[in-house]
Amino acid sequence: MKAVSKTSTYAGVLVLALGWASAASAAQAVRVGDFLASLGVNTHLNYTDGAYADYARVVSDLDYLGIHRLRDATPDPNGGIPYRNDLTALYAAAAAGNRFDFIVNPTLPIGVTLDQISILERVRPGSVMAVEGPNETNNNPVTYHGLHGQAAAVAFQRDLYHAVHSFPVLRHAAVYYYTGLDTAHGLAGLANFANVHPYSYQGQQPWNRIAGEFAKQFPIATPFPKVITEAGYFDVPRKDSGVDDATQAKNTLNLFLDAFVQGSSETFIYQLLSAYPNEGIDTQSGLFRMDHSPKPVAVAIHNLTTILADHGKRGFTPASLDYSVDFPSGAQSHSLLLEKSNGVFDLILWSEPDDWNNLTHQEIINPPVPTTVSLAGGNGNITVYDPTMGIRPLQHAHNAREITVNLADHPVILEITPAEPTKLSER
């Protein structure tokens, strides 16, 4: 018997887990547009003394990535560093089709905060998708109405939740929970989404970190949708964290996929740009350099979104596909089945062996392992892509029942066109 993929459900998303069986079972696909819509990035459009000051190039960077969900600070007409108006940049990004999750500042009155957010929503309807509670309250303790620490954060969050949903212009917006402190209560009356920052320190692969953070911080919140408003990898190796460019690229792709199959509706990478020339988190974590040139991680994300791009109708019911995957034994391997509106499937496979040695600050080279994918329901045309290598196909198999691909430590994408195309129904 060989190891094959078997269907299972994790956090409401159909995923495929390694198991032992002799036959494949049909897996229900997820719309490719739903996965692409989960990709987000942190921006600092109020950093008007650094790389973000050229907001036209910021908009261009976002278009290159194919990501249009941003997390940023609440608009402030007197804001910006150094205190220059940052609203022009926010309006320009919104005009280009980008949508925002705005983090609130708990030192400001909630009404004032929502007034500022609503200005953008009135100018560009639909640009505000979420309002987020205080950021990393473990590092920035909240004081509110005579309370301090976690009690204050919870009280502030409760008032924020009710205020947002009572504010006429913002009633459609989701409310994300605050981050930074463990909690053992549910989210009813506090937020629409649970929220964590599962940074994988020392170059670790992201799967276990994501699972652990959601389990630790929200043990009773499983019925609630989830978001990850910060995660990512620094690209300057240091003693405590940071990886090289190649590892940042690979692990960031894995992070987006891991988060989605573990139920994260949106995952915001930290951050778009290396904002300043000095060494620090705002220099090390950018997907683009200060001159707006893309790092390998930005190129890999661009390749991923380009390969998966679907320009058809989003409102369709995805079909299922019968297949099996002979994953390598002992590896933490995953797969996700997506479908485009034209009936073409995108099967993404990835493994997560250790790929970074934090003692030597060097990449661990994982040799590719031949992995066979078999179609049980009939032949199909199969094209294989590796987003870390480009957007050109690496392999083709015409009218084939199986194909063997090389699987290492990052995603490969199999675009599968069944011999008998599936009939999609619109919703």
Side-chain angles (χ1 to χ4, degrees):
M1 297 172 69
K2 67 179 182 178
V4 303
S5 59
K6 298 179 68 178
T7 59
S8 61
T9 301
Y10 190 102
V13 177
L14 201 290
V15 298
L16 298 159
L18 180 62
W20 290 93
S22 57
S25 53
Q28 179 68 45
V30 178
R31 287 186 296 267
V32 70
D34 292 342
F35 169 68
L36 292 175
S38 75
L39 309 185
V41 65
N42 280 260
T43 54
H44 288 293
L45 292 170
N46 62 329
Y47 285 9
T48 56
D49 61 341
Y52 284 100
D54 191 346
Y55 57 82
R57 296 189 72 178
V58 168
V59 170
S60 178
D61 296 341
L62 295 167
D63 288 340
Y64 176 79
L65 290 179
I67 291 179
H68 300 288
R69 295 186 177 225
L70 316 183
R71 177 181 185 251
D72 211 313
T74 294
D76 183 353
N78 300 311
I81 303 172
Y83 299 107
R84 290 161 52 190
N85 194 321
D86 63 347
L87 297 185
T88 302
L90 291 171
Y91 291 165
N98 297 290
R99 303 179 67 204
F100 287 90
D101 160 35
F102 283 119
I103 318 160
V104 303
N105 181 347
T107 66
L108 297 176
I110 291 175
V112 172
T113 295
L114 298 188
D115 282 339
Q116 295 302 328
I117 294 174
S118 67
I119 292 173
L120 178 63
E121 179 63 22
R122 288 190 178 96
V123 174
R124 293 290 176 183
S127 59
V128 179
M129 65 178 182
V131 178
E132 181 179 343
N135 182 61
E136 297 188 351
T137 55
N138 55 322
N139 298 319
N140 308 289
V142 175
T143 297
Y144 183 68
H145 286 185
L147 302 172
H148 186 74
Q150 182 166 334
V154 172
F156 181 92
Q157 182 73 37
R158 181 177 292 107
D159 288 351
L160 176 67
Y161 175 83
H162 289 291
V164 170
H165 290 303
S166 300
F167 211 92
V169 180
L170 300 175
R171 284 176 180 168
H172 69 283
V175 176
Y176 296 164
Y177 200 61
Y178 73 83
T179 52
L181 293 173
D182 296 350
T183 180
H185 52 70
L187 299 185
L190 295 169
N192 303 111
F193 287 79
N195 181 12
V196 294
H197 290 177
Y199 284 102
S200 295
Y201 296 106
Q202 300 182 348
Q204 298 170 335
Q205 291 278 11
W207 181 276
N208 292 337
R209 182 71 174 179
I210 293 170
E213 284 298 295
F214 275 125
K216 180 180 70 172
Q217 296 200 16
F218 298 99
I220 319 177
T222 45
F224 284 82
K226 301 168 183 170
V227 292
I228 293 172
T229 54
E230 280 189 32
Y233 293 84
F234 310 144
D235 72 337
V236 178
R238 301 188 302 172
K239 179 180 179 181
D240 56 341
S241 61
V243 295
D244 63 6
D245 283 347
T247 305
Q248 183 190 31
K250 294 184 301 181
N251 288 9
T252 298
L253 296 186
N254 291 349
L255 192 161
F256 272 138
L257 290 162
D258 288 355
F260 185 73
V261 300
Q262 292 193 50
S264 180
S265 299
E266 277 112 22
T267 300
F268 298 85
I269 295 297
Y270 195 94
Q271 64 170 318
L272 180 70
L273 283 173
S274 295
Y276 300 110
N278 58 297
E279 184 172 326
I281 187 171
D282 284 326
T283 298
Q284 296 174 313
S285 54
L287 305 180
F288 290 80
R289 302 177 184 91
M290 276 200 69
D291 64 358
H292 296 268
S293 61
K295 296 178 183 177
V297 61
V299 176
I301 294 171
H302 163 81
N303 294 342
L304 178 73
T305 59
T306 300
I307 294 165
L308 296 180
D310 183 6
H311 302 293
K313 295 181 178 180
R314 286 195 60 187
F316 67 92
T317 300
S320 59
L321 183 71
D322 259 357
Y323 69 94
S324 64
V325 184
D326 186 10
F327 277 126
S329 60
Q332 188 181 61
S333 301
H334 312 285
S335 62
L336 172 65
L337 180 65
L338 305 173
E339 188 175 17
K340 295 177 179 176
S341 57
N342 61 2
V344 172
F345 292 97
D346 284 296
L347 175 61
I348 307 178
L349 311 177
W350 69 105
S351 283
E352 299 192 26
D354 292 339
D355 62 356
W356 181 254
N357 186 324
N358 198 56
L359 296 178
T360 63
H361 295 167
Q362 291 179 316
E363 178 187 11
I364 298 172
I365 304 299
N366 290 292
V369 178
T371 302
T372 300
V373 177
S374 303
L375 303 180
N379 291 5
N381 296 325
I382 307 172
T383 305
V384 180
Y385 300 87
D386 182 338
T388 69
M389 298 179 65
I391 59 174
R392 294 178 180 272
L394 300 181
Q395 294 174 249
H396 289 287
H398 180 70
N399 196 28
R401 188 170 289 270
E402 71 175 32
I403 189 171
T404 298
V405 299
N406 287 324
L407 188 63
D409 50 14
H410 61 275
V412 294
I413 302 171
L414 285 72
E415 192 166 82
I416 302 171
T417 305
E420 295 184 7
T422 58
K423 295 181 179 181
L424 302 179
S425 58
E426 294 187 9
R427 302 201 317 173

